Amino acid sequence: MKKVYIISAIIVILGIAAGISFFIIRDMTAKIPDHITLLTDDEKLYDFAESDKKLKLVEFIYTHCPDICPTTTQRMNLLKGDLSKEGVFGEKVQFITVTIDPYRDTAEVLRKYRNTFEIENDGDWVFLTAEPEKLKKDQSEIQELANTFQFQYRDPGDGFYVHSTFVYLLDENNKFIKKFPMGEDFDKNDVFNKIMKQI
């Protein structure tokens, strides 16, 4: 009887280890597909395949979000200040904000969102949405981009999205390095230290 318990315990442990390994490998091999091209808030095309060879911190937001999205953007803005003091923001690090609600979050709406946080439009923090004439196609590309990092979201019907709560640090080739919590749990010092270690 003892042997049965031991064998069962070993099977359970191996199953858990295999599951954990799967998720670690999946995350570590995640890379933004090269074909994704979206529209910036100043209405220029942003092609991920041609993007700058810099570390990228990527957040997914929607501008009608009442709490976690604006809190994350605000904390990222503070982080930007810390990285700027070190002389690495723009030089070696870029931020990317992608809306998950391109129907409402047009380029103009994203410009207003940017201005609310007094974020300079200097090309080092890129805000992305869909092209109006390619809304459906670009919306599916935003979904594909989010799925790359297992960022889940859906509109339950009231316009207030239910979504994952992570931002993602990528390397110069748009490959996943690490994820960090959004909102109040976004620790800018922790993210700062991780970025500085990668430079």
Side-chain angles (χ1 to χ4, degrees), residues 180-197:
F180 303 96
M182 292 177 71
E184 295 292 339
D185 294 325
F186 183 92
D187 183 341
K188 75 177 182 70
N189 295 325
D190 179 42
V191 183
F192 174 84
N193 289 332
K194 184 64 178 179
I195 288 173
M196 293 305 292
K197 280 180 186 175

Side-chain angles (χ1 to χ4, degrees), residues 96-138:
I96 298 177
T97 296
V98 184
T99 180
I100 57 175
D101 185 13
Y103 282 93
R104 290 186 294 180
D105 291 343
T106 61
E108 182 183 2
V109 170
L110 286 183
R111 282 196 297 273
K112 288 177 183 173
Y113 184 81
R114 176 198 288 277
N115 291 336
T116 298
F117 296 96
E118 299 180 346
I119 298 167
E120 189 180 353
N121 188 0
D122 54 9
D124 297 325
W125 189 335
V126 182
F127 285 73
L128 298 175
T129 186
E131 290 185 72
E133 60 274 14
K134 295 196 321 185
L135 204 47
K136 259 192 172 172
K137 178 183 177 294
D138 283 2

Side-chain angles (χ1 to χ4, degrees), residues 4-72:
V4 173
Y5 287 129
I6 292 168
I7 291 168
S8 298
I10 290 169
I11 290 169
V12 169
I13 289 165
L14 288 174
I16 291 169
I20 291 169
S21 297
F22 168 77
F23 288 113
I24 290 171
I25 291 167
R26 181 197 65 190
D27 284 348
M28 294 311 294
T29 57
K31 180 182 183 294
I32 294 177
D34 286 340
H35 66 270
I36 293 179
T37 302
L38 297 171
L39 190 72
T40 68
D41 62 326
D42 51 4
E43 301 182 53
K44 294 177 183 173
L45 290 181
Y46 184 90
D47 184 346
F48 278 96
E50 302 294 324
S51 62
D52 293 334
K53 295 288 185 183
K54 298 176 183 178
L55 293 178
K56 297 175 183 74
L57 189 65
V58 180
E59 69 166 341
F60 294 93
I61 61 104
Y62 71 107
T63 62
H64 287 76
C65 180
D67 42 37
I68 197 164
C69 298
T71 300
T72 305

